[in-house]
Amino acid sequence: MSPHDLGEDPLDRTRFPVDPWRLVETEYCSDDLGTIETLFAVGNGYLGMRGNPPEGRDAHTHGTFINGFHETWDIRHAEAAFGFAKVGQTIVNVPDSKLMKLYVDDEPLLLSVADLVEYEQALDFRTGRLCRDLVVRTASGKRVRVSATRMVSFTERHLAIMTLEVEMLEGDAPVVISSQIINRQDGKDEYHVPGSAMGEGRDPRKAATFTERVLLPQSHWHSERRIILGYKTARSGMTLAVGADHVIETDADYEELIDSDQDRGRKIYRVDAREGQTITVTKAVTYHTSRGVPVRELVDRCRRTLDRVREYGAQHYIDQQRAWLDRYWANTDVAVEGHPALQQAVRWSLFQLAQASARADQLGIAAKGVSGSGYEGHYFWDTEIYVIPFLTYTSPEVARNALRCRVQMLPKARERARELAQRGALFPWRTINGDEASAYYAAGTAQYHIDADVAFAFSKFGDITGDVGFMARDGIEVLVETARMWADLGFWRENGTRSFHIHGVTGPDEYTTVVNNNLFTNVMARDNLERAARAVRELGAADPSAYLRLTRRLDLDPAEIDEWQACADGMHIPYDQTLEIHPQDDQFLDREVWDLARTEPTKRPLLLHYHPLVIYRFQVLKQADVVLALFLQGDRFSLEAKRRDFDYYDPITTGDSTLSAVVQSIIAAEVGYAEMALRYFRAGLYVDLADLHRNTSDGVHIASAGGVWAALVYGFAGMRDYHGDITFDPRLPEDWPELTFPIRVRGTRVRVTVRQDSIGFEVEEGDALEVAVRGEHHEVRAGAPVTVPLAGQGPRRRSLEGTHPVIGDLRADGTIITAGVPNPDLPRRASSAPSDPRVSD
């Protein structure tokens, strides 16, 4: 959506009050259950639980997800061709252990009909717990306090802990608590009503549905307090076991029952509750999964995890959670002084990044993390471009684990490259298990830039962490194989001078596909080729034996290294002398401009209302493409070139992708469009919190959350890190008194404080670090903070928002640039040019 449509604070603060360390809901509403379930989800990167109510109803989409645990299915192409993706992969909704149903006076607690005297639900960023507190008046006039908590552990990857506390405030009543594990994936809920475990519809951002059973029961077992169920997926052969232990604390009289079958386990407490008495049930849950280990072994692992919880107690893990998050925030927190609402949203975003990545542990980081089934649980380039830079500066060990996922995919990436008649390796555009799962090749497989994105993330990690061992062991192999692919994919052309071209690819903008010389692709491929050549040469100089092993293992000829450098030096970078901009690709400027200002809001996003062929005929962008290149490879472009490119592309960028706003904010800030930068920042910040794209119910937009950090640090603080050199040129908004954040560079943690008239640096851990501020270098040492005066916050320009500055201008071939909207109900355009080319129907 356009940032113009977003107010300064789009949330209803009577329902969602401002709290800098919690997301709080104080009024229950059933109109937006899907959004609420996403916003209040808890997870750790391995295990995620949507914010469904513990009593089960009402819910939009029940969901419990495990990173990488998926089912496969045959992709059926209407017209198949060689090399098309053959097998789809979809994340599985694993058995739901969140359910703790409550009955008072034999009546179920259902929020949709309950007489709620008090209500508060809060996701606490410091404790990592979802807490809900209610006071309910029963039909007979009794009052009951109900408190529930849910936590997915950051320290114990396979563990979740839940509590349900019930207190009779007025009156006595029989109370029943039915704690369950239930397999929802296979089409039934606890009331045996056909459910929709995965999203349906034609929206390509949603997950597919299964028509046959997915989880095949392998075992079920229970004892007096423990339930364990085991499954195997029907097609992918993955295995899973889930177990739950229960402890009750109460002075009231009670009896307990337990049973299990292949798709459900139940632990039931029947309590004779008296006024003033409290009943507390603690539920410890564990999930273990594998690509093929027998279920019986996973059952044993569940037993061991639950035995440890029984030994140490739930409070031990709750305390560990708080300690882990204390460290996380010390390394991560970005403080925006004077703006508590923004601060709350920023911390929610940073907390979501932890929930998506912390314990992924060499699995990928999915586009929705583990908060929902959107995009089928797939890994995209989102991780490398929007998430790994954040992790590199804040949690480098987590960044290294995420990069290891790509290392493990190399064998399949090599196979995929050969399938597409290329040397080297070609990473899949979307995947879980390493196989390409994009059924629409034009906007999927053709996005070869994924190789350069992966290489970019490895290079940045090496530059910033200084982890030479990891790069020599793993990173260099990725750089070599991706460079090989580019050198083979591209070709040389001669017309007085030789230049290297890359044809038949799709850039980040999926509204323009299969083009020649996409600028983003060429610029990123050039960097990939250069970094690979440099890395191999540096390895040869630093460790000749390691270099020899590498050349033997990869059959690497030194002539290849020279070829990579030559390809990089000769890379064709599109530039139009007439308009003085960088065209998105060779043919982009030949198209008519899509007049977004005259496009009906009901027709957005375009991909849901127009056939791809209609969109492909216009100059219109789903997401920032050239502008993203200006950010990632900013040292290759002048400030004036960035401004001219931004002016051209911003009016035709729809924002239909959540990846755009944060990048547009960064470049708008750099070129001096301060107000626009702040509006785009807000649009990225509230993507999910305000459900701006109307699909938050499918899960958190993790890349956008990573982009929020980037917009703060790279945008407003003006940090750049080309080749590991840390520089600053701040662009702090006029009404922000102070922006403070830590960065970790080569083992040293430095706290950066940007004010309107200065920028300060303080070493909190580690050795000295050299930074530059507007060209002036400073060394920051422990115990010796550095403050650098600032003469303003960069240029302040008035932007050309809402207009396209070149409509009516001439192209290089003399034709007039016109704008229009594809609409058969509008009058047909005249065959000749309109009298006013700026107003074309």
Side-chain angles (χ1 to χ4, degrees), residues 334 336 346 349-350 353 385-386 389-390 631 659-670 676-685 703-720 729-733 736 739 741 754:
V334 181
V336 182
V346 166
S349 297
L350 299 178
L353 289 164
I385 297 301
Y386 292 89
F390 158 77
F631 166 48
L659 302 181
S660 271
V662 288
V663 173
Q664 289 166 285
S665 175
I666 292 168
I667 296 301
E670 183 176 4
M676 183 187 287
L678 189 55
R679 284 197 293 272
Y680 273 128
F681 170 70
R682 290 194 184 106
L685 182 64
S704 186
V708 165
W709 179 87
L712 290 163
V713 173
Y714 288 109
F716 298 135
M719 187 181 81
R720 295 296 184 270
D729 188 359
R731 299 289 193 269
L732 198 64
W736 288 22
L739 176 67
F741 56 90
V754 183

Side-chain angles (χ1 to χ4, degrees), residues 388-690:
I388 284 184
F390 158 77
L391 295 173
T392 295
Y393 278 104
T394 61
S395 304
E397 69 286 350
V398 179
R400 183 171 54 246
N401 279 337
L403 292 172
R404 281 285 304 159
C405 176
R406 292 298 189 183
V407 174
Q408 292 166 2
M409 285 184 186
L410 257 179
K412 288 191 174 182
R414 291 187 179 106
E415 293 175 10
R416 182 61 172 163
R418 292 190 65 82
E419 189 173 28
L420 270 69
Q422 304 295 157
R423 300 181 69 242
L426 178 59
F427 286 98
W429 177 244
R430 58 185 299 172
T431 191
I432 296 177
N433 63 14
D435 292 326
E436 178 62 79
S438 177
Y440 185 51
Y441 77 89
T445 298
Q447 296 202 53
Y448 280 70
H449 67 84
I450 181 71
D451 264 24
D453 306 330
V454 171
F456 174 84
F458 274 89
S459 296
K460 183 178 289 291
F461 178 83
D463 288 343
I464 302 306
T465 66
D467 192 339
V468 176
F470 173 76
M471 292 303 294
R473 214 170 37 249
D474 293 324
I476 197 166
E477 194 162 336
V478 171
L479 295 179
V480 166
E481 295 290 39
T482 51
R484 278 176 163 168
M485 192 282 297
W486 292 119
D488 188 50
L489 178 66
F491 66 99
W492 292 95
R493 298 180 70 175
E494 293 201 32
N495 185 16
T497 59
R498 297 182 78 224
S499 55
F500 191 75
H501 296 248
I502 299 173
H503 284 190
V505 299
T506 298
D509 169 34
E510 294 171 0
Y511 285 174
T512 312
T513 65
V514 193
V515 299
N516 297 340
N517 291 313
N518 169 254
L519 179 119
F520 179 89
T521 301
N522 286 20
V523 168
M524 294 294 286
R526 176 176 62 183
D527 183 69
N528 190 167
L529 290 158
E530 289 177 344
R531 297 301 292 253
R534 184 183 314 139
V536 174
R537 287 168 177 158
E538 289 177 350
L539 181 65
D543 192 341
S545 61
Y547 171 81
L548 183 60
R549 290 193 298 272
L550 176 74
T551 57
R552 288 177 175 172
R553 185 170 70 253
L554 300 184
D555 193 21
L556 179 61
D557 189 318
E560 278 193 83
I561 304 165
D562 296 335
E563 180 189 12
W564 301 339
Q565 188 63 57
C567 293
D569 293 341
M571 185 68 70
H572 173 68
I573 305 299
Y575 187 75
D576 186 273
Q577 297 287 350
T578 303
L579 298 177
E580 296 183 295
I581 66 163
H582 292 90
Q584 187 168 296
D585 58 73
D586 283 352
Q587 295 83 36
F588 188 79
L589 300 181
D590 294 340
R591 303 181 178 97
E592 185 181 22
V593 173
W594 189 305
D595 193 342
L596 288 176
R598 298 182 61 214
T599 302
E600 297 178 16
T602 57
K603 295 293 189 180
R604 309 282 288 273
L606 301 185
L607 80 164
L608 298 185
H609 300 281
Y610 295 92
H611 190 283
L613 285 176
V614 176
I615 298 173
Y616 297 164
R617 295 186 184 111
F618 284 81
Q619 292 186 44
V620 64
L621 280 62
K622 181 184 178 187
Q623 61 182 277
D625 194 302
V626 170
V627 172
L628 180 58
L630 302 179
F631 166 48
L632 298 181
Q633 300 293 321
D635 56 337
R636 309 285 191 138
F637 302 90
S638 69
L639 186 63
E640 180 61 19
K642 293 177 185 178
R643 185 186 65 80
R644 292 187 67 87
D645 285 347
F646 185 88
D647 285 347
Y648 189 89
Y649 289 105
D650 191 72
I652 56 174
T653 303
T654 62
D656 288 351
S657 166
T658 60
L659 302 181
S660 271
V662 288
V663 173
Q664 289 166 285
S665 175
I666 292 168
I667 296 301
E670 183 176 4
V671 302
Y673 298 148
E675 293 181 3
M676 183 187 287
L678 189 55
R679 284 197 293 272
Y680 273 128
F681 170 70
R682 290 194 184 106
L685 182 64
Y686 288 106
V687 157
D688 288 315
L689 288 168

Side-chain angles (χ1 to χ4, degrees), residues 43 67 75 185 204 246 301 415 447 450 483 546 638 668 679 699 718 832:
N67 190 354
I75 297 175
Q185 173 64 70
H246 298 82
R301 295 180 189 178
E415 293 175 10
Q447 296 202 53
I450 181 71
S638 69
R679 284 197 293 272
S832 58

